[in-house]
Amino acid sequence: MARLGVNGALRTAAAGVIVGRIAHPASERETHRWLQQRSGLGELLGVDFEIPAAGLSDPVPAVEPTVAITFKLPVSTVRAIRAYARRSGLSLGQVVTQAVTALLDSIRQRRG
């Protein structure tokens, strides 16, 4: 794909479409929603499917190896995290990592 001039962001989008259509056959819109809300593919690839790819030249890099986890949060919390991620340009994983790291650092400081 690189020989054809397909950059990292387009390769990631292609992987998302291919995996999405195989794992969750649906329309393009539904596949995109599935990638954003239900799939762990973004964590595996080190990207955030919430960020519009049009402005990216490459996928959002993962700083260190990551592990995909699944947990449930209140809808209002997820909306707030997504809104913050859009405003800040960070991936959802980056936002959650920063928040959890700050919380753990605060706990460690209090325990001294």
Side-chain angles (χ1 to χ4, degrees):
M1 290 179 100
R3 277 194 329 245
L4 300 173
V6 178
N7 69 26
L10 289 177
R11 282 194 305 268
T12 301
V17 169
I18 292 166
V19 170
R21 291 293 177 96
I22 291 170
H24 184 77
S27 68
E28 289 177 18
R29 178 183 221 150
E30 174 59 20
T31 298
H32 187 243
R33 187 202 63 73
W34 179 82
L35 285 167
Q36 291 175 319
Q37 298 175 5
R38 304 285 299 159
S39 167
L41 184 62
E43 286 87 2
L44 293 173
L45 296 176
V47 300
D48 185 356
F49 287 107
E50 290 284 330
I51 299 173
L56 299 177
S57 59
D58 286 307
V60 177
V63 177
E64 64 180 86
T66 59
V67 176
I69 63 170
T70 302
F71 51 90
K72 295 183 179 188
L73 296 171
V75 172
S76 60
T77 302
V78 173
R79 286 183 180 143
I81 293 169
R82 285 184 176 152
Y84 179 79
R86 279 191 294 276
R87 284 192 314 272
S88 66
L90 298 171
S91 71
L92 293 176
Q94 289 169 317
V95 171
V96 172
T97 298
Q98 287 180 3
V100 171
T101 300
L103 172 65
L104 294 174
D105 288 347
S106 172
I107 292 169
R108 281 187 208 108
Q109 286 177 356
R110 277 188 263 142
R111 290 186 179 168

